[in-house]
Amino acid sequence: MEWFRVWFYPPQVSQTKKLDYQFYGESFSHIRYERILKRVVDKKGKVDYKKLSSLEKELDIYISELKVASLEKYSSPEKLALFINAYNSFTLKLMLEWPNARSIQEIPKIKRWEDPKWNLANNKISLYTLEHKWIRENFSETLIHFALVCASNSCPGLKNTAYTGQNLKKELEEQARLFLKDPKNIRLDLDKNILSVSEIFDWYREDFGKEEGSVMSFILKYLDDMNLREELEKRSSKIRFEYIPYDWGKNDSSL
């Protein structure tokens, strides 16, 4: 099974010390991007891609602004907020470039996550590099898995406001709690003591383990459903995990 994880799962990374959320210095302006999000993202975090296509020029301008960002000006939370917004905006642009794709998986692999076509702070990078090198390796923060959105139904919902360094911890924690409120991401079979959860918890189980000691500990920390929490705590020694198959269908609000 270990060989399967090496070949088909996201890479393990050597993470740095815990993210310091102290905010200082300058902020990068995400106003243009936030205006777009407010117009195209619904309450469930899905995207109106038809409407987004009419705003593509605005999105292009924002992406061009990311190109000239000066990272040395920003504190750690401001950098991470910038990287998350960049990842999500690049993904939106990618989906516009492939309008007939019903899933990001239908985009040829060479043009999908590993294409170094994006320019961030005058660095040509791929979505893979941005997620696993720039973000996961430099910021030991498991909550990012509820903020990075790969345009799929089983992804966390896309927030309709931009992430900010000043409020980043609160914003990320809210996203984790929203994810764990959705029964499509977590459900308990009381008869079989099986907790079914999103595959995100399987793919990044090492990250969750580093954060809270285990996937279960992480879930209990951010789970708002008190009844479910009580059952999990009561049955903790009996619970077996199963992972809900990922729905890679496009997170299109019109579908």
Side-chain angles (χ1 to χ4, degrees), residues 8-250:
F8 296 102
Y9 282 43
Q12 294 188 42
V13 299
S14 298
Q15 293 177 312
T16 60
K17 66 181 181 180
K18 185 67 178 171
L19 174 63
D20 178 4
Y21 276 102
Q22 183 179 1
F23 175 81
Y24 55 87
E26 297 187 24
S27 297
F28 185 90
S29 175
H30 302 286
I31 292 175
R32 188 184 303 275
Y33 176 53
E34 183 159 307
R35 285 202 299 260
I36 296 170
L37 293 175
K38 285 185 176 297
R39 293 182 64 182
V40 304
V41 179
D42 68 12
K43 293 180 180 179
K44 294 182 178 179
K46 294 204 169 192
V47 179
D48 184 334
Y49 285 97
K50 183 176 181 180
K51 187 177 291 184
L52 180 63
S53 67
S54 69
L55 300 171
E56 189 168 8
K57 289 184 179 179
E58 284 296 298
L59 182 60
D60 288 342
I61 294 172
Y62 173 71
I63 288 174
S64 70
E65 292 169 348
L66 294 173
K67 177 181 178 180
V68 296
S70 299
L71 300 183
E72 64 275 5
K73 295 181 179 179
Y74 307 128
S75 59
S76 291
E78 185 67 17
K79 285 181 185 177
L80 181 52
L82 173 64
F83 294 169
I84 293 171
N85 291 329
Y87 184 95
N88 290 340
S89 64
F90 293 158
T91 301
L92 289 174
K93 175 65 177 178
L94 177 65
M95 298 308 291
L96 289 181
E97 292 174 346
W98 296 84
N100 296 322
R102 295 165 298 177
S103 162
I104 196 170
Q105 297 278 41
E106 292 185 357
I107 298 173
K109 185 176 180 181
I110 195 171
K111 295 292 185 181
R112 200 191 314 155
W113 291 305
E114 297 179 7
D115 186 358
K117 64 180 289 182
W118 310 106
N119 196 321
L120 178 57
N122 287 310
N123 290 273
K124 294 297 288 291
I125 59 172
S126 65
L127 290 171
Y128 180 97
T129 296
L130 180 53
E131 178 179 5
H132 301 297
K133 301 293 183 181
W134 284 39
I135 296 177
R136 288 180 66 216
E137 283 191 5
N138 289 305
F139 302 96
S140 185
E141 179 49 87
T142 308
L143 291 168
I144 57 99
H145 297 305
F146 306 103
L148 300 175
V149 182
C150 60
S152 303
N153 287 324
S154 285
C155 284
L158 183 63
K159 198 160 74 77
N160 73 346
T161 56
Y163 289 91
T164 63
Q166 198 162 10
N167 299 306
L168 186 60
K169 185 173 179 61
K170 178 183 177 183
E171 292 167 349
L172 292 178
E173 288 178 340
E174 286 176 350
Q175 288 302 106
R177 290 192 171 95
L178 281 172
F179 190 80
L180 290 172
K181 278 182 180 178
D182 193 333
K184 83 174 191 294
N185 299 321
I186 182 169
R187 48 185 179 263
L188 176 63
D189 186 323
L190 294 171
D191 295 328
K192 297 180 180 178
N193 289 315
I194 293 175
L195 182 66
S196 299
V197 295
S198 166
E199 280 192 301
I200 287 174
F201 290 105
D202 187 26
W203 297 337
Y204 299 104
R205 66 172 70 165
E206 288 82 8
D207 290 11
F208 290 104
K210 292 171 187 175
E211 174 80 14
E212 293 294 336
S214 68
V215 169
M216 180 64 81
S217 295
F218 182 94
I219 288 173
L220 289 173
K221 181 174 180 179
Y222 293 102
L223 186 64
D224 284 342
D225 186 330
M226 292 297 107
N227 292 328
L228 179 54
R229 177 194 292 275
E230 183 178 337
E231 289 292 344
L232 291 178
E233 290 174 338
K234 184 169 62 178
R235 301 162 182 260
S236 60
S237 63
K238 300 177 183 178
I239 291 291
R240 292 188 295 112
F241 278 91
E242 286 189 355
Y243 297 99
I244 302 166
Y246 215 71
D247 179 356
W248 288 100
K250 190 175 181 180

